[in-house]
Amino acid sequence: MKPLLDSLIARFGITDPGLTLGVYATGMVVFCAIVLMGFVAPAAGIISFIERRIAARMQSRVGPNRVGPQGVIQWVADGLKCLLKEDLIPTEADHLLFRIAPYLVFIGMFGAFVVIPFGSSLVIADLDVGLFYLLGITSLVSVGLIMAGWASNNKWSLLGGMRAAAQIVSYEIPAGLSLLTVILFAGTMSVQGVIRSQGWAPHTWLMFQNPFLFASYFIFFTAALAEGNRTPFDIPEAESELVAGYNTEYSGMRFALFFLAEWANLYIIGAVSAAVFMGGWQLPPGVPDAVRPVAELLLFLGKSSIGVFLAIWVRWTFPRLRVDQMMEVCWKYLIPISFANVVGTAVWMVFLPKGQLPASAASFVMVALAAFLVVLFVRRVRMNLRESDMPIHLNPFV
Amino acid sequence: MTPEEIHSLLAETFPDDVLAWDPSAKDPFVVIRPDGTPGVMRFLKEDPRTAFDFLDNLSGVDLGERLCVVYHLFSFAHRHRFVVKVEARRDDPRVPTAALIWRGARWFEREAYDLIGIQFVGHPDLRRIMLPDDWEGHPLRKDYVYPTHYAGIDNRREYD
Amino acid sequence: MAEIKTEEMVLNMGPHHPSTHGVLRFILKTDGEIVHECLPDVGYLHRSIEKIGELMTFQGFVPYTDRVDYVASMNSNLAYCTAVEKLAGIEVPRRAEFLRILVCELNRISSHLIAVGALAMDVGAVTPFPYALRERERINDLLEEVCGARLTYNYIWIGGVSFDATPGWLDKILHFVETFENIIPEFNRLISGNKIFVERLRDVAIVPREMAIDYSLSGPNLRASGVDWDLRRDEPYSIYPELEFDVPLGHGECGTVGDSYDRFIVRVREMEQSCRILRQCIAKFPHDQPDFRAKVKTVKPPPGEVFVRTEAPRGEQGYYLISDGTAKASRVRIRTGSFTAMAIIEEIAVGCMIADVIAIIASLDVVAPEIDR
């Protein structure tokens, strides 16, 4: 990249050091944006395809399997279709806001990818205030949604936009407080710093360090689902009630942008929870250095897929909460519990300092507890399968 | 109570309103005077011996010379049934409403008004229910002429 | 503090929307999310079936009765044919009665599957609907085998049924019942006990017993409000006097008696009872009697009238027939359960939220063809 920028500077004969720095900076930014777009857009598309397949298998049907082998280029076909559709803007709609809204949503989501570390040196910008920046940039999404709801000049879209506003703004608080417990414990707001404060083994992950952080993980996951308008919190885009809520009047690529943002947001939920709570890209020490970056990347992608799968699973199992129930869950349950988590973590840190025996023993106990819960879950699943007596098709490539 | 007993109870309570009684039909029915409808119906609903709290069906019927409203009543307390008919003149079909007695009658009467054209006097919200609000005519009448136009659009087909 | 002046918002939940109950329109006057007034506007599916009844012969009208409630059309067929048979004095052979009840109870199960699946989907859980449809497909295969159609069967004719059971059909029904009785608990584990689902439906649109009776509600809606009344048991027709089954009532197990959750769970339990009825019918089936249709040429009932009610999945379906001695009826009046259920929405939706209105419509299990005919 640097030689290319150097040749550019020589061509235009730029000697001013400030300007040179500007060219370097702009060049790097453009390059990073292109690389990131090259990851985010296909990732969103692939996640949309995976979601449809998983949803279908959960509903005892097959899902898209025609376009390409096993339907793997379905998302390309959908994207092309959206590009080719007529771009319809209702006459009475507020044209400027109508056009801006999808971009704001997209920027809010895309900006969050900047701080997500895919490896020990694979991060666009390891900001010192990484987690704080994350919370801030994702708030742009709510601005975009309200704009979309208002600009559509449609009462149902307005309702969807209002609901979205209330929901996203409310659920910022539990999400932020859960991340606050992490920041307290790790001592830094930078995402790479949080990952480096963990290790590769489960008992070093932040999730298992103390019960308050364990609870924080689930609260963060729930609040992130609500931020991303995923069921059970998908009232703003409730299909059977509002057609598509704030999306109703959008068609073609603008519509696709909203959904791109939603699927990419799904990845962010998985990625942030994996990075911050589950050790991120930390590898065991025995991996050779040549392979290290790729291995870290794959491990991180794998861990974030767990979060993505959980979100998809939850979406296709649960009904949606009503607006007042959703607000009640946030304000009456999640926020007091997250405050308790913050205080509890602080108290824990005072009485059981890191590095000493009681704290490490506690983390082993937490891991054992989590493993026990997983075992209970597996047993329950097997009991369900036995009782329903139905043929089970585990082959995903039906 | 058997239908005969209910009829004799009605005949002694409302002697002027009971016009006819047909015990030989598969569902024996009584015909009452239109003006007496609210009194008779309220009696049938509230008197503890009859206690007809369930309006099973309210039909509008075009009998040719007259229009008729047929009420099928049922009582959950006594598990007995009864049929009441009210006949109205064809040119001015007005029958007092039963919607204030059984709330289920509201929509039944709206439908009878819409399709047969019987005006239910005292109904809280008598407007068309199935057909558009600007429809002309009452289709279930025997002398209904199928309209050739709707909202200015000709709906007759041309056959070559 | 000065009062902020607010206006009511008038929303149109138009005839064209993804909720699965047909073409229904509601005009909602809301204050934000809370509904102040909910006016149903019906008639989008009015096909003047009652007028057609006066133009067709009695036998020719049977396919039209399919379309009165196309989700459970065997029961509509049965109601009409029972009414005509009572009017004309036609006796139905015993084998035909058993075939009729077999298909009607199968259709009751498939209709309730749609009802509970659509309710779950309207409330947000998409997965139970394909599960319900999967079972409905198996029922459709059974019914297609016996009459050739998957939705509007035209199977129950005046005097009996149109085709006899194919060899092995009864065994297939038995196999279906045996597997289906395991599916209902799986369905319950998926959605009926789900906390979010219960919270969405409990105490929503409580219909007390007196209101249910006053509004002429019938069927599962009436039983969910606590009224112990089932035409199959209390005024039996066909071979129901010989069959033994329970009648599930709403007990307010997750809220008050008569709320939406009761209407949902009554339907789930009725499916279990229908399985019981199917087993008994198969066990008592008269294999030795070959007649499945009475020999009827032209149906010309003597002048008179009759009102026959049957227990259809959506309520009480009644046919009030007036005959003037000719081959065509003088008046066919169809009284359906969804009509009165739709009438009650106007009153019970007040004070609920917009999301609740959808849940109420779905829990009452209204289908537009029954309302409009």
Side-chain angles (χ1 to χ4, degrees):
Chain A
M1 192 61 202
K2 199 164 179 304
L4 174 67
L5 293 172
D6 282 335
S7 66
L8 260 177
I9 291 174
R11 262 271 313 278
F12 287 102
I14 302 171
T15 45
D16 180 34
L19 206 52
T20 319
L21 199 63
V23 170
Y24 279 136
T26 318
M28 283 311 292
V29 165
V30 169
F31 174 68
C32 292
I34 294 174
V35 164
L36 201 58
M37 249 342 257
F39 172 72
V40 169
I46 293 173
I47 288 178
S48 81
F49 166 70
I50 291 176
E51 167 162 20
R52 287 169 72 174
R53 287 298 294 236
I54 295 177
R57 296 319 302 271
M58 285 180 182
Q59 295 167 8
S60 54
R61 49 186 187 90
V62 181
N65 64 344
R66 298 271 176 213
V67 187
Q70 291 301 319
V72 288
I73 35 180
Q74 175 77 40
W75 57 279
V76 177
D78 286 339
L80 272 177
K81 178 197 81 166
C82 284
L83 274 173
L84 294 173
K85 276 201 162 171
E86 178 183 358
D87 181 21
L88 203 61
I89 304 182
T91 325
E92 296 288 323
D94 188 327
H95 282 240
L96 182 64
L97 292 180
F98 195 84
R99 284 167 209 258
I100 292 178
Y103 298 125
L104 276 179
V105 172
F106 186 73
I107 291 171
M109 174 279 303
F110 189 59
F113 274 92
V114 166
V115 285
I116 295 182
F118 290 92
S120 54
S121 53
L122 273 175
V123 58
I124 305 273
D126 183 22
L127 299 175
D128 279 339
V129 290
L131 289 174
F132 193 56
Y133 162 81
L134 204 64
L135 287 172
I137 196 78
T138 47
S139 303
L140 264 183
V141 170
S142 63
V143 178
L145 291 184
I146 307 176
M147 257 195 214
W150 170 259
S152 299
N153 193 34
N154 177 345
K155 276 177 195 154
W156 292 104
S157 301
L158 182 63
L159 257 182
M162 289 291 112
R163 288 167 164 179
Q167 179 172 310
I168 294 186
V169 164
S170 306
Y171 278 89
E172 291 279 351
I173 304 179
L177 286 173
S178 305
L179 289 179
L180 188 60
T181 60
V182 164
I183 295 171
L184 258 182
F185 202 86
T188 168
M189 278 203 266
S190 121
V191 186
Q192 282 283 45
V194 169
I195 296 181
R196 292 212 165 90
S197 78
Q198 305 174 66
W200 64 272
H203 67 91
T204 53
W205 291 351
L206 275 183
M207 197 165 109
F208 298 120
Q209 293 305 310
N210 66 52
F212 302 104
L213 279 170
F214 193 63
S216 274
Y217 170 67
F218 291 104
I219 295 183
F220 174 74
F221 191 76
T222 312
L225 277 183
E227 299 260 323
N229 289 340
R230 303 275 306 178
T231 315
F233 303 103
D234 71 342
I235 303 154
E237 47 180 62
E239 269 173 25
S240 46
E241 296 163 24
L242 302 180
V243 186
Y246 55 83
N247 275 338
T248 319
E249 298 290 344
Y250 283 86
S251 61
M253 204 55 206
R254 295 182 211 281
F255 183 74
L257 270 177
F258 276 116
F259 275 89
L260 206 83
E262 176 176 330
W263 287 310
N265 205 349
L266 193 58
Y267 186 76
I268 291 174
I269 298 173
V272 172
S273 59
V276 156
F277 285 102
M278 291 208 277
W281 43 256
Q282 292 274 16
L283 274 180
V287 179
D289 279 338
V291 168
R292 212 152 234 265
V294 177
E296 283 175 352
L297 176 67
L298 286 177
L299 183 63
F300 184 75
L301 288 177
K303 281 185 188 170
S304 40
S305 329
I306 299 177
V308 168
F309 178 73
L310 261 181
I312 295 177
W313 190 9
V314 164
R315 174 183 185 173
W316 294 102
T317 311
F318 292 133
R320 72 176 65 97
L321 290 170
R322 214 170 53 205
V323 169
D324 62 327
Q325 291 165 347
M326 181 260 302
M327 298 302 269
E328 187 182 323
V329 163
C330 176
W331 290 91
K332 287 194 192 167
Y333 295 98
L334 289 187
I335 291 186
I337 300 179
S338 359
F339 273 120
N341 280 340
V342 171
V343 171
T345 308
V347 168
W348 185 279
M349 281 170 67
V350 166
F351 288 110
L352 287 130
K354 258 195 286 193
Q356 291 185 12
L357 186 59
S360 323
S363 63
F364 277 107
V365 167
M366 295 294 305
V367 174
L369 180 67
F372 177 63
L373 286 175
V374 169
V375 164
L376 277 183
F377 174 73
V378 168
R379 281 187 50 180
R380 174 118 183 133
V381 167
R382 288 181 52 186
M383 179 200 87
N384 278 349
L385 289 174
R386 252 199 324 267
E387 280 189 18
S388 66
D389 203 18
M390 290 280 285
I392 304 160
H393 303 289
L394 283 176
N395 181 5
F397 302 117
V398 160
Chain B
M1 291 169 78
T2 66
E4 284 76 21
E5 291 169 9
I6 302 175
H7 166 249
S8 34
L9 181 62
L10 273 183
E12 56 185 68
T13 327
F14 297 94
D16 306 322
D17 291 329
V18 175
L19 294 178
W21 161 241
D22 185 352
S24 62
K26 290 199 165 68
D27 299 318
F29 61 87
V30 71
V31 181
I32 61 176
R33 214 161 49 91
D35 293 335
T37 309
V40 172
M41 295 301 181
R42 196 164 284 284
F43 172 76
L44 284 173
K45 181 178 180 185
E46 289 170 1
D47 187 85
R49 290 163 292 185
T50 52
F52 283 112
D53 48 1
F54 191 76
L55 175 65
D56 208 344
N57 186 22
L58 192 158
S59 331
V61 181
D62 184 346
L63 291 175
E65 309 107 43
R66 302 177 305 286
L67 301 177
C68 178
V69 182
V70 182
Y71 301 78
H72 287 85
L73 305 174
F74 175 67
S75 164
F76 276 105
H78 301 297
R79 305 280 172 103
H80 56 203
R81 295 188 179 267
F82 199 55
V83 181
V84 180
K85 291 197 187 184
V86 179
E87 291 180 358
R89 284 173 24 218
R90 210 185 166 84
D91 48 355
D92 182 24
R94 287 157 23 118
V95 171
T97 184
L100 305 168
I101 306 170
W102 295 283
R103 282 176 289 180
R106 279 188 206 160
W107 272 39
F108 282 132
E109 288 184 351
R110 273 181 70 185
E111 188 184 352
Y113 162 66
D114 188 8
L115 298 177
I116 307 265
I118 301 174
Q119 297 272 352
F120 288 94
V121 178
H123 192 278
D125 182 24
L126 193 68
R127 56 194 164 92
R128 287 192 182 265
I129 185 171
M130 306 288 191
L131 300 169
D133 289 328
D134 56 353
W135 197 266
E136 286 162 18
H138 299 281
L140 275 180
R141 290 200 183 185
K142 301 288 187 196
D143 59 353
Y144 180 68
V145 171
Y146 293 98
T148 55
H149 288 76
Y150 178 67
I153 306 169
D154 192 350
N155 67 355
R156 287 168 299 182
R157 235 178 250 250
E158 286 182 5
Y159 293 96
D160 293 333
Chain C
M1 189 168 90
E3 282 285 336
I4 305 177
K5 180 169 170 292
T6 55
E7 257 181 34
E8 274 184 348
M9 191 160 67
V10 178
L11 279 174
N12 181 39
M13 200 175 279
H16 201 178
H17 65 95
S19 184
T20 38
H21 295 93
V23 209
L24 301 169
R25 178 177 173 227
F26 291 91
I27 303 167
L28 300 173
K29 297 207 173 98
T30 69
D31 173 22
E33 283 270 340
I34 305 198
V35 171
H36 282 177
E37 211 178 313
C38 169
L39 297 170
D41 181 14
V42 298
Y44 286 90
L45 210 50
H46 179 63
R47 295 150 292 168
S48 56
I49 290 187
E50 295 184 355
K51 181 85 177 177
I52 293 175
E54 299 170 17
L55 305 174
M56 310 284 295
T57 59
F58 285 94
Q59 285 127 314
F61 186 61
V62 175
Y64 286 90
T65 60
D66 277 327
R67 277 85 180 158
V68 166
D69 176 5
Y70 44 61
V71 186
S73 42
M74 293 287 194
N75 292 275
S76 315
N77 277 349
L78 177 68
Y80 177 69
C81 293
T82 315
V84 175
E85 284 150 16
K86 186 168 173 192
L87 193 60
I90 303 172
E91 204 176 301
V92 178
R94 195 164 158 76
R95 189 185 178 99
E97 296 276 26
F98 272 89
L99 285 169
R100 283 179 170 189
I101 299 304
L102 274 171
V103 295
C104 280
E105 289 301 320
L106 276 174
N107 216 345
R108 187 183 307 272
I109 295 177
S110 67
S111 170
H112 281 324
L113 281 170
I114 292 263
V116 299
L119 171 58
M121 193 164 79
D122 285 345
V123 161
V126 184
T127 309
F129 194 51
Y131 277 34
L133 287 182
R134 180 187 64 195
E135 301 310 313
R136 192 182 148 93
E137 276 304 305
R138 296 168 61 198
I139 298 179
N140 275 348
D141 287 341
L142 285 169
L143 292 172
E144 186 182 0
E145 185 174 331
V146 79
C147 71
R150 280 165 51 96
L151 188 69
T152 49
Y153 305 105
N154 191 16
Y155 178 62
I156 298 180
W157 285 0
I158 299 176
V161 294
S162 61
F163 296 104
D164 199 3
T166 53
W169 189 61
L170 290 173
D171 296 323
K172 287 184 190 165
I173 300 185
L174 195 57
H175 177 70
F176 165 75
V177 167
E178 280 163 2
T179 43
F180 188 65
E181 283 175 341
N182 281 335
I183 300 282
I184 298 183
E186 183 192 50
F187 192 80
N188 282 337
R189 274 198 301 272
L190 173 64
I191 191 74
S192 307
N194 188 315
K195 177 99 168 96
I196 303 180
F197 187 70
V198 169
E199 286 295 317
R200 276 300 291 270
L201 293 182
R202 66 196 286 269
D203 292 338
V204 167
I206 301 168
V207 178
R209 194 198 145 96
E210 294 74 29
M211 190 198 280
I213 296 177
D214 205 29
Y215 267 97
S216 307
L217 275 188
S218 52
N221 296 329
L222 187 63
R223 290 194 279 280
S225 294
V227 180
D228 190 5
W229 178 251
D230 186 333
L231 282 171
R232 296 175 291 167
R233 180 197 58 191
D234 299 321
E235 283 188 7
Y237 48 94
S238 189
I239 50 162
Y240 281 114
E242 303 171 32
L243 301 173
E244 206 182 290
F245 56 97
D246 294 325
V247 172
L249 287 183
H251 294 295
E253 42 197 277
C254 291
T256 335
V257 176
D259 62 1
S260 302
Y261 188 78
D262 270 346
R263 292 191 277 273
F264 163 77
I265 205 71
V266 157
R267 292 195 168 92
V268 173
R269 300 222 170 99
E270 277 191 10
M271 286 200 281
E272 293 169 9
Q273 296 303 316
S274 288
C275 288
R276 257 177 90 177
I277 296 178
L278 284 171
R279 278 184 192 267
Q280 291 171 46
C281 280
I282 296 175
K284 295 184 177 172
F285 194 80
H287 295 275
D288 50 342
Q289 298 175 18
D291 282 339
F292 58 90
R293 189 163 71 223
K295 302 276 184 288
V296 178
K297 272 271 176 178
T298 336
V299 176
K300 260 200 197 157
E305 58 188 50
V306 74
F307 181 49
V308 167
R309 307 150 209 86
T310 56
E311 184 78 25
R314 283 185 173 76
E316 194 182 277
Q317 207 166 89
Y319 278 76
Y320 175 51
L321 293 174
I322 304 181
S323 151
D324 52 3
T326 62
K328 301 186 182 174
S330 163
R331 174 85 166 99
V332 178
R333 156 90 180 135
I334 311 172
R335 181 256 196 253
T336 52
S338 301
F339 188 72
T340 44
M342 196 68 175
I344 204 175
I345 289 182
E346 208 171 326
E347 179 147 345
I348 58 177
V350 174
C352 295
M353 306 213 170
I354 298 182
D356 287 333
V357 173
I358 313 273
I360 297 168
I361 302 167
S363 76
L364 285 169
D365 192 16
V366 289
V367 282
E370 262 202 345
I371 304 170
D372 299 337
R373 287 160 271 127

